[in-house]
Amino acid sequence: MRLGILTGGGDCPGLNAVIRAVVRKATGEGHAVTGFRYGWAGVLADDTVELTHDRTTGILPRGGTILGTSRTNPYADGADGSASIRAVLERRGIDALVPVGGEDTLGVARRLSDDGVAVVGVPKTIDNDLAGTDVTFGFHTAVQIATDAIDRLHTTAESHNRVMVVEVMGRHAGWIAAYAGIAGGADAILVPERPFDVEEVCDVLRRRHATGRTFSIVVVSEGATPRDGAGLATAALGDGATDAFGHARLGGIAVALEAEIERRTGYESRMTILGHVQRGGTPTAYDRVLATRFGVRAAEAALAGAHGTMVALRGTEIALADLAEAVAEPKLLDPGLYATAEVFFG
Ligand code: F6P
């Protein structure tokens, strides 16, 4: 048999570990693997590379993706993406396709599956907002990077008696903010699921400073928004443009928060936007293992004909989730986790 594999959407530490695992499992059993370059763009353009043991050796610890990625949407502007993709897969003799991606890439995979194309998805996103799996690979690495940054900001915050506003990624969900905030001992954490009131945030900081603390750490998701939109001039860094899946480019809420917190409280404030640093570089050991387990299971499922599925972590086991269910709704932050974080606010 011949499998196809592609990596789509934003890149994420662990993608190469998945590619390596799919290739090793499939070729080890006498099958072949075609890599499509730059996500769905590579399928549409029939841009391929033969993936062998030799071609995928040494890539386990490498960030990014050897296949490249893109946010190409095969159905954009009413295009019949399924027909174009099916034609290329048939020409290339692909028996099953393994798309590695988040909500958008796997949303395309679901649509292809509905149209009869054999697919097995692998859940990837640093945001950890895909349903059907307890965790996506890449999340653990992003949290570690953000936590390391918060630790560093702590010491300089303390030296200068400043409020540090740290913006992390998280478009719809505050998983990175909550985990890194808890791990880094944040004094306030603002997430997309809970629109915030900037005056309440300032009150938390005032209460903290009233007990003798002279500095604070505020962690904010890029997708967090003020409750009524008022009282905070949101300075989006994006130019309002959207990608092929209709997502606005986020980033910049920390700019507005820094200014507003300083204006309202009088505490000197500084902001840091971690941005794509969170997506770069080598995956943690946890993500290497998770990505490897996902890749091996995806190859097994694709070869066994368990199509229309997505590999998933359920507890400690790797399971197969229904692809349609996995992409139906984003997995938002667990309110119980946020309640734990709140114990330490102020
Ligand atoms: O979806 C993952 C993610 O990193 C989001 O957290 C972020 O909003 C987005 O990708 C950024 O995308 P890009 O790299 O295209 O700017």
Side-chain angles (χ1 to χ4, degrees):
M1 289 177 73
R2 176 171 288 277
L3 301 183
I5 184 168
L6 64 90
T7 53
D11 73 343
C12 162
L15 285 166
N16 286 325
V18 176
I19 295 168
R20 169 180 173 269
V22 168
V23 171
R24 289 289 279 276
K25 179 67 183 168
T27 60
E29 295 181 2
H31 305 287
V33 183
T34 299
F36 288 96
R37 303 178 72 221
Y38 302 107
W40 296 115
V43 189
L44 294 171
D46 197 8
D47 183 2
T48 66
V49 55
E50 184 72 16
L51 293 176
T52 59
H53 186 147
D54 277 357
R55 279 231 167 92
T56 53
T57 197
I59 65 173
L60 173 64
R62 271 172 59 190
T65 160
I66 60 164
L67 288 175
T69 186
S70 74
R71 294 195 184 276
T72 300
N73 181 354
Y75 301 101
D77 304 322
D80 186 355
S82 296
S84 315
I85 288 172
R86 194 186 291 108
V88 172
L89 296 182
E90 277 170 15
R91 193 178 323 137
R92 288 278 163 193
I94 308 289
D95 297 293
L97 185 63
V98 179
V100 188
E103 52 163 334
D104 299 328
T105 304
L106 296 187
V108 170
R110 185 202 60 83
R111 207 160 153 183
L112 284 171
S113 177
D114 289 349
D115 290 341
V117 177
V119 296
V120 175
V122 178
K124 162 246 68 161
T125 167
I126 65 163
D127 288 5
N128 195 36
D129 60 354
L130 260 176
T133 182
D134 292 353
V135 191
T136 53
F137 74 85
F139 170 63
H140 187 270
T141 304
V143 167
Q144 191 59 54
I145 293 168
T147 303
D148 290 345
I150 294 169
D151 286 349
R152 289 176 183 278
L153 290 167
H154 244 114
T155 61
T156 174
E158 198 167 5
S159 305
H160 288 268
N161 296 338
R162 281 172 173 161
V163 175
M164 291 292 187
V165 180
V166 191
E167 182 177 310
V168 298
M169 280 188 169
R171 188 184 269 156
H172 311 297
W175 291 103
I176 299 176
Y179 266 74
I182 291 172
D187 305 298
I189 301 174
L190 311 179
V191 294
E193 293 87 343
R194 300 170 67 110
F196 63 87
D197 181 320
V198 71
E199 190 54 26
E200 284 175 15
V201 177
C202 290
D203 277 344
V204 167
L205 303 180
R206 289 187 192 104
R207 277 201 299 278
R208 174 176 156 82
H209 286 228
T211 64
R213 308 285 186 277
T214 56
F215 71 95
S216 294
I217 303 283
V218 177
V219 178
V220 58
S221 301
E222 61 180 357
T225 50
R227 197 174 293 152
D228 53 10
L232 188 67
T234 44
L237 293 186
D239 52 7
T242 53
D243 66 19
F245 290 90
H247 301 300
R249 189 167 145 200
L250 299 178
I253 185 74
V255 178
L257 271 172
E258 174 202 275
E260 202 59 24
I261 288 171
E262 183 164 305
R263 188 180 73 77
R264 291 183 187 227
T265 63
Y267 306 145
E268 194 181 11
S269 304
R270 293 286 188 274
M271 64 86 199
T272 300
I273 299 176
L274 293 180
H276 292 78
V277 169
Q278 296 159 98
R279 285 208 331 229
T282 188
T284 58
Y286 178 91
D287 274 336
R288 294 182 203 187
V289 174
L290 182 61
T292 298
R293 294 178 77 198
F294 276 171
V296 168
R297 189 73 185 89
E300 277 170 6
L303 293 168
H307 304 144
T309 57
M310 180 190 86
V311 295
L313 183 70
R314 300 268 172 82
T316 58
E317 300 299 316
I318 304 296
L320 289 183
D322 181 75
L323 183 57
E325 280 172 26
V327 298
E329 294 290 337
K331 181 183 70 189
L332 300 182
L333 184 61
D334 170 12
L337 183 72
Y338 194 80
T340 299
E342 276 182 311
V343 171
F344 302 91
F345 286 4

